[in-house]
Every structure is written in structure tokens, then in C-alpha cells.
Amino acid sequence: MTTPRAPKVAGIDSTVPPPPHTAAPTAAPTAAPFGAPLPPPASGGPLQDRLAGWVSDLTLLHELTESLIRTDSLDGALREVLRAGAALVGARRGMAVLEPADGQGPALTVGLGLAHAELGTIETVPRSVTSYGRILDGLDPLPEGSLLPRPIAHPDLRSEDDLDPRHREVAARLGYAASYALPLATEEAGRLGAVVWLYDEPAEPAERQRHLVGLYGRFATEHLARLLEVERARVRVATVAEELLPSRLPRIPGVQLAARHRTGPRGGGDWYDALPLPDGALGLAVGSVTGSGPSALAAMGRLRASLRAYAVMEGEDPVAVLSDLELLLRLTEPARSATALFAFCEPADRRIVLAGAGHTPPLLIGEHRTEYVETSLSAPLGMLSCWEAPSVELSPAPGETVLLYTDGLLRRTGDAMDRAFARLHAAAASVPRADRSDPDAVADHVLRTVLPEGLDTGGADGEDVVLLAARFE
């Protein structure tokens, strides 16, 4: 009968070396007949103690890796690695540095039990003399037969005669006496960063602790590598999306403009536009195409470019602009639909004529009123054989702001649509009096109030958000 072996958990090799104080295992007992109970081991408890230790370690690793898997951002994952590693090595403070060896970024530093100023103080120590710096810069020789750096332990910084004076000064100021640094590296992912845990008194992890945190570190590195690819893809998509949108807003007498745009992790097709038209007029547009990823971005770029052309030709009739856009979409991309809203504005007369195709209604924000503009119900572009809906005319009072937006703003709240509309209305109504003269301040206040957790925390399913504010003088 072979010695029992615990199963793998969460992709981690369950081979755990025996602790120094554990006696060698005794010989396995002779196999008993099928169905008969096994006799107890000759020596009693050592084998059972070892099995219990394995089960305990694997259970702990399982819990820690499950918590890590639930993180969906680089910052959150690094903080979880710090917390879990501190529990494994018996420390209470630490610092994690993400600095991929390929140099493509992003670079990120987070702390556990360390304030921002204390992290800055540690970073004043020359990198070449710090354990995490030697790991990140590859200054230490690699272990024989390995392509990965090894962990670095400083059991007692106070007794190291060759310790850099600046390092000694910072350690004394922050009150740590020992450190243990672990590389965040695997052969598949390469070197992504390093974690260093700090001890208040001279100490170092035992062999068993080192083994467990090493297993956890390899799993954490693979998880960070996946998040890193997602983040890089998100940045690339956001860059392309920003390039497809206006680089700056036009300056038109009688109106002030402000825009906010954030692309979700997968890259959606939400867009906005503001273009000068003949005789001092202004065209405002927002819209969204179905789908996500590069194809949606490409469709968004084509749709926006087409709308600009139609707006120049017949901008005074928003219904005609959207009708032309619907025909183009149906002929060139029959499998795709889109929502859009186009407004023809005459700032000198404070007159707006607008039409929408399945789009959310604008919001009028003023000193004496905050209300949605009543637009007729209409289907999105590409949903019917022939689209047409009547236009709506409105006249903002001096100082009032017209807010155009996409439904991504409402969906990011996580509420049902009726509650999301109420939430947006309440946010607009609560704009401070001092901020109502600045469309940038209006847009920022609405975003902060509607999305209190921030615009950049949409998670893996985050929607695109577009906001276009026009204040009429």
C-alpha cells in the first residue's frame, strides 16, 4: 500500500516537504483484506500528524487562491497577494511592485500596512541594495538549473555589517528589522515583479512557510499575467477608441461644451460628436453600436464619419440625417443595429431641433428645472425596414445645460432602468449652484454622483460611458 498523497488544489502541486521537527515516516502496514479496517500505524501519530498537516496546508492554499481568483484588477490582485503572503510568512507589513521584465508596463506599487509616504521613503533606498530591486533588475545570480530568481531573506538587518547606510536609516525610521522578498515569476509568464514582507523583529520564514508561499507565489504570478494581458488589451482598445473620437471640441459663440468618455474593458461602440455647421450652427450627436471589440470600434468609426457627412448636407433636418444613416447601416452592415441622437443647435437663438433613434432622452439642467426632454419613441437604426420618427424642438433658457449621454451610464449603475433614470435625474438636480455655469463641472458632478465607485471600476463587464454637455449662454 502506498503512502497517501493529497490531491492537487487550484492548480498547485501538493508536494509539501516535511517540517524539520517531524520524524521520518514509518513503513506502511500490510494491506488488509477488502472491506476490513486497517490496523493503526505501528508508531501511532507521526503519519496521521503529517497527513493532517498536508490537509491543513492544502485547505489554506485553496482558500487563499480562491480569494485571489475573485480579483479582477491588477491593483486588487497585488493587494490580495500581499495580504495572503503576509499570513503565510507571519508578517504584517509589506510592499508589492509590478514591473514586467518586457518593459511594456504598466508599473504599479502597492503597500500593506504602509502609508503612501512610507512607500515613497522605501523607494528612496537605491534599488541595487534592496532585495526587491535586485530581483526586479536581475542583479543576483540565478540558481543552478533555473531561469528564475530566488527569494531573498534578510533575517536581521540590524546585524548586517555591509548594509547600505540609507537602507539602515530607512529601516530604523519605519521600524522593521527583517524582510523576505519573493519574485513574482514563472517560466511561462516571465518576471512580472516582486513582493517583500517586513518584520518588526529579527525573523525569517521557516522552510515549510517558504515552500507554501512559493507555491502561492507561482499561482499568483500566473493570475497576474492573465490580468496584465487584459489590462494591456483594455489600454489598446481605449487608445483606438479615443483616436476615433474628436480630439477637441469646437468653440462656438453662445455655447460651452464638455465631454466625458470611457471605454469598457472589451471595447464598445459608444461615441459622441460636436461639429460646426454653416451660419454659426452646431451639430451634437451621441450614439452606440451593438457588439464589442475591434469590430464594434470599426463600425462606430464608420457610423460617426457618415453622420458628419450627412449633418453637413442636411443638418437642419435631424430626421433626414438619421434616415440617411439608417439606410447606410442597413445596406452596409445588415447584421448590426445602432442607437443615435442628433441635435441641430442654433446657439444665437438658443434653439435646438433633435431626433433620436432608440436612444435615451436628453436631460435639461437649469436653475429652475431639471427634466428629461420628451422625445417620441422610436426603434434603433437597422431594426425596421424603414426608420422615421418626428423631431422635437426646445429652447433652453440662458444658463441651462443640455446633457446627452449613452445608456452605458445607466447600465453601469447596476440598477433597473427606471431606477437608473431616477438616479441620473437626482444627480443632475443636485449640481451645486456654483458649478452650473461650467459644463465640465456639471459633467464631473453627474458622473461622481451616478457612479460613486468611480468611472474606471466597471470590471470585466464594464459598459462604455459617454457624456456630452452643452451650456447655452
Side-chain angles (χ1 to χ4, degrees):
M1 174 178 171
T2 58
T3 303
R5 180 181 178 87
K8 292 186 178 182
V9 176
I12 296 178
D13 189 352
S14 58
T15 305
V16 180
H21 63 271
T22 303
T26 58
T30 305
F34 181 80
L38 289 175
S43 59
L47 179 59
Q48 294 179 355
D49 290 345
R50 179 178 297 183
L51 288 173
W54 284 352
V55 171
S56 176
D57 290 340
L58 290 171
T59 301
L60 176 60
L61 285 175
H62 176 74
E63 293 174 352
L64 295 178
T65 54
E66 284 290 317
S67 296
L68 180 62
I69 289 173
R70 287 193 288 269
T71 60
D72 59 3
S73 68
L74 288 172
D75 181 86
L78 284 175
R79 294 184 186 280
E80 178 61 26
V81 170
L82 269 175
R83 184 197 67 79
L88 290 172
V89 302
R92 69 181 186 89
R93 291 188 291 174
M95 179 175 74
V97 181
L98 181 71
E99 194 175 293
D102 59 12
Q104 297 182 21
L108 185 63
T109 301
V110 300
L112 173 69
L114 296 170
H116 184 73
E118 293 173 320
L119 289 174
T121 300
I122 293 176
E123 291 176 337
T124 63
V125 180
R127 277 175 56 125
S128 60
V129 302
T130 62
S131 55
Y132 75 90
R134 299 207 304 272
I135 290 174
L136 293 174
D137 297 336
L139 300 179
D140 285 352
L142 298 178
E144 184 177 353
S146 175
L147 300 176
L148 305 176
R150 71 181 80 199
I152 301 175
H154 289 287
D156 190 353
L157 291 168
R158 299 166 186 167
S159 64
E160 294 187 17
D161 296 332
D162 58 346
L163 191 67
D164 182 270
R166 180 58 182 164
H167 195 176
R168 190 185 305 277
E169 176 188 347
V170 169
R173 181 187 302 179
L174 299 184
Y176 64 88
S179 67
Y180 183 73
L182 179 74
L184 295 174
T186 64
E187 293 183 0
E188 294 78 11
R191 188 177 69 247
L192 300 185
V195 188
V196 57
W197 291 281
L198 308 177
Y199 297 88
D200 297 340
E201 301 294 336
E204 65 177 313
E207 179 185 356
R208 194 176 191 83
Q209 291 174 308
R210 293 188 185 211
H211 185 73
L212 290 176
V213 78
L215 292 174
Y216 179 80
R218 287 195 288 274
F219 180 86
T221 301
E222 294 297 333
H223 181 65
L224 286 168
R226 291 189 290 270
L227 292 178
L228 183 63
E229 286 303 312
V230 171
E231 176 62 18
R232 288 177 174 177
R234 187 195 68 79
V235 171
R236 289 192 293 266
V237 167
T239 301
V240 173
E242 292 298 328
E243 291 296 324
L244 291 173
L245 294 174
S247 57
R248 60 182 179 180
L249 296 172
R251 294 185 177 181
I252 304 294
V255 64
Q256 296 174 281
L257 300 175
R260 298 292 182 269
H261 173 252
R262 294 295 184 276
T263 302
R266 294 176 296 180
D270 287 17
W271 53 276
Y272 70 92
D273 206 349
L275 65 156
L277 296 175
D279 301 324
L282 172 69
L284 300 178
V286 291
S288 175
V289 300
T290 56
S292 61
S295 64
L297 289 175
M300 176 264 282
R302 292 190 293 267
L303 207 65
R304 173 178 169 264
S306 301
L307 185 140
R308 290 176 70 91
Y310 298 144
V312 171
M313 292 188 296
E314 46 193 355
E316 295 184 13
D317 186 355
V319 172
V321 172
L322 294 183
S323 295
D324 292 343
L325 197 64
E326 195 274 339
L327 178 60
L328 176 72
L329 185 69
R330 186 153 45 88
L331 293 176
T332 59
E333 301 185 58
R336 193 183 298 276
S337 64
T339 67
L341 186 146
F342 179 74
F344 175 79
C345 309
E346 295 176 308
D349 300 328
R350 292 193 305 277
R351 174 177 174 268
I352 300 175
V353 181
L354 61 88
H359 205 78
T360 50
L363 188 58
L364 196 61
I365 306 172
E367 191 72 27
H368 305 291
R369 60 175 175 171
T370 300
E371 60 188 27
Y372 287 104
V373 177
E374 290 192 12
T375 57
S376 57
L377 294 175
S378 61
L381 302 176
M383 295 291 289
L384 300 177
S385 58
C386 183
W387 177 91
E388 187 169 334
S391 60
V392 176
E393 183 173 334
L394 65 147
S395 298
E400 290 190 328
T401 297
V402 177
L403 196 66
L404 311 180
Y405 54 95
T406 58
D407 61 358
L409 176 63
L410 304 174
R411 296 185 187 281
R412 275 217 189 182
T413 65
D415 295 336
M417 291 304 288
D418 56 342
R419 295 185 61 185
F421 274 115
R423 188 168 177 172
L424 175 58
H425 183 276
S430 66
V431 175
R433 185 184 299 270
D435 291 342
R436 297 197 174 217
S437 60
D438 183 1
D440 282 291
V442 171
D444 289 336
H445 176 85
V446 168
L447 288 175
R448 285 195 307 267
T449 309
V450 174
L451 306 175
E453 296 182 355
L455 195 56
D456 297 319
T457 57
D461 298 322
E463 299 273 352
D464 282 16
V465 172
V466 162
L467 204 64
L468 181 60
R471 179 183 181 272
F472 290 85
E473 300 174 352

